Amino acid sequence: MEAITRDFFLFLSKNNMLNNIAKKRGGSFAAGKIIGGTDFQSSIKFIKQLNDSGLSVTVDHLGEFVDSKKVTQERTAECIETIEMISREKLDSQVSLKMTSLGLDIDHALVIENMTKILDTAEKHGVMVTIDMEDEVRCQATIDIFRQFKEKYSCISTVLQAYLFRTEKDLDDLGQFKPFLRLVKGAYKESPEVAFPEKKDVDENYKKLIKQSLLNGNYTAIASHDDKIIEFTKELAKKHNIPNTQFEFQMLYGMRSKTQHELVKQGYKMRVYVPYGLDWYGYFMRRLAERPSNISFAFKGMVRS
């Protein structure tokens, strides 16, 4: 049943008609519930509310698989403006972005040019930029870009996905950089040739990666709504005397808000992933596909006042 549910929501995420309807009519309904707003400016008030309650944030301008050089340049300029606004407004926020939004599918030199401009601004203002991981066919290119920029910049991190067979080796290979890594289960539909098809195997690999990253001394973000994963991380930290300053938990905006605040009260750093923009529909469907229980969390978030 879980596989059927996952495939159903992944199918919906690619429905152009529903995506267009959501762009035209759904932005105001989703704003302040599952996304910050339709642009960064309108998201600031929600970010400040989260910060005031002890929650850190990372923001993401939704939209990927860009096939226009002009659009990548617009996304670059928007990201730079966002970083400057984070600094100006003194927000406790980082930035997440996808390489396909900067031209990964168009031209390698274009991605490097756009990312260099963004990271120059990020270094100036001390704002961390996380390169989000996309589907497996773009994984190696994304890691290569991260490695290239990590040699020059400090305000850069990336994401590794537990459902891919390759991730354990990727984590080991990146160890030389002592990177800031966000570990996730993974949200794309992948072939059983490259990814664990069974949830239980993904969960076990996720735990293995968390342990590997933390014992290697990496600053690690555990991005999960799964109570078992959260408790595993807490117990691992206690057993190995890993300080709370070496890791953080991350969850999605509008989902498990009570748990987020409880973790802060317990002394853990909690970062909320706040997406914004008109392209929220595909993102939302993939989040529902990740874990069936997200459906109930999302419904509660969507109907709250």
Side-chain angles (χ1 to χ4, degrees):
M1 179 59 72
E2 183 168 316
I4 294 173
T5 301
R6 175 183 172 85
D7 289 347
F8 174 68
F9 282 110
L10 287 174
F11 169 77
L12 290 180
S13 73
K14 299 176 182 178
N15 188 296
N16 290 330
M17 182 185 73
L18 292 177
N19 191 34
N20 289 332
I21 292 173
K23 282 184 181 181
K24 293 177 181 178
R25 304 179 184 177
S28 58
F29 178 63
K33 297 181 174 66
I34 59 170
I35 63 171
T38 54
D39 57 24
F40 184 72
Q41 181 67 52
S42 63
S43 304
I44 290 177
K45 63 180 179 181
F46 300 113
I47 296 170
K48 287 184 175 180
Q49 289 172 3
L50 293 168
N51 287 170
D52 289 345
S53 63
L55 298 164
S56 299
V57 167
T58 185
V59 296
D60 182 8
H61 184 188
L62 294 171
E64 54 197 281
F65 307 125
V66 173
D67 58 6
S68 161
K69 180 178 179 180
K70 181 175 182 293
V71 174
T72 71
Q73 293 169 335
E74 291 172 351
R75 289 294 178 87
T76 299
E78 194 277 339
C79 189
I80 289 171
E81 183 180 3
T82 295
I83 292 170
E84 291 173 341
M85 291 175 71
I86 287 172
S87 177
R88 188 164 60 247
E89 296 285 341
K90 296 180 171 55
L91 303 175
D92 180 2
S93 179
Q94 300 176 355
V95 171
S96 296
L97 50 77
K98 291 180 172 62
M99 291 297 90
T100 51
S101 72
L102 300 185
L104 182 63
D105 293 348
I106 302 173
D107 178 60
H108 180 76
L110 177 63
V111 177
I112 300 303
E113 177 185 348
N114 288 334
M115 194 63 177
T116 298
K117 293 176 182 178
I118 290 170
L119 288 176
D120 282 344
T121 305
E123 291 285 310
K124 176 182 176 182
H125 295 288
V127 175
M128 181 65 70
V129 175
T130 298
I131 300 177
D132 271 337
M133 191 57 69
E134 301 178 66
D135 53 357
E136 192 273 340
V137 297
R138 296 173 175 86
C139 184
Q140 188 60 54
T142 302
I143 290 176
D144 290 343
I145 290 170
F146 170 74
R147 291 172 67 98
Q148 178 177 341
F149 282 110
K150 184 61 178 172
E151 292 180 353
K152 180 180 178 181
Y153 297 95
S154 60
C155 290
I156 182 171
S157 64
T158 194
V159 179
L160 295 178
Q161 300 163 312
Y163 70 168
L164 295 179
F165 297 142
R166 61 172 291 163
T167 301
E168 184 176 358
K169 184 176 186 302
D170 288 334
L171 179 55
D172 186 57
D173 290 344
L174 290 174
Q176 61 180 301
F177 296 103
K178 292 298 178 185
F180 173 175
L181 295 173
R182 178 194 299 158
L183 301 181
V184 303
K185 290 187 181 180
Y188 293 87
K189 184 174 177 60
E190 303 287 3
S191 163
E193 295 180 358
V194 300
F196 295 100
E198 299 294 332
K199 179 183 180 300
K200 62 181 178 61
D201 295 323
V202 176
D203 289 349
E204 287 307 306
N205 197 46
Y206 196 12
K207 293 176 182 178
K208 182 190 295 185
L209 296 172
I210 292 169
K211 182 176 182 179
Q212 179 181 345
S213 185
L214 288 176
L215 293 184
N216 284 349
N218 302 328
Y219 185 87
T220 308
I222 296 88
S224 177
H225 296 157
D226 190 331
D227 287 328
K228 292 180 180 178
I229 295 296
I230 293 169
E231 290 305 314
F232 169 82
T233 304
K234 290 179 181 179
E235 291 302 318
L236 180 71
K238 291 177 183 177
K239 180 178 179 181
H240 295 279
N241 296 313
I242 298 168
N244 290 1
T245 52
Q246 192 189 321
F247 66 95
E248 65 184 50
F249 294 108
Q250 295 188 1
M251 293 186 188
L252 303 174
Y253 182 53
M255 299 188 189
R256 305 214 69 183
S257 297
K258 182 178 179 181
T259 300
Q260 293 174 17
H261 288 99
E262 287 175 350
L263 287 168
V264 171
K265 290 179 181 178
Q266 293 168 11
Y268 297 102
K269 189 172 186 64
M270 177 68 232
R271 189 175 304 278
V272 183
Y273 182 90
V274 181
Y276 66 93
L278 294 173
D279 289 326
W280 62 274
Y281 171 78
Y283 152 81
F284 186 45
M285 291 299 108
R286 284 197 300 275
R287 299 296 79 76
L288 297 185
E290 278 182 303
R291 193 163 176 250
S293 56
N294 281 351
I295 299 172
S296 62
F297 299 148
F299 178 75
K300 292 174 183 176
M302 291 291 281
V303 300
R304 77 174 189 263
S305 57

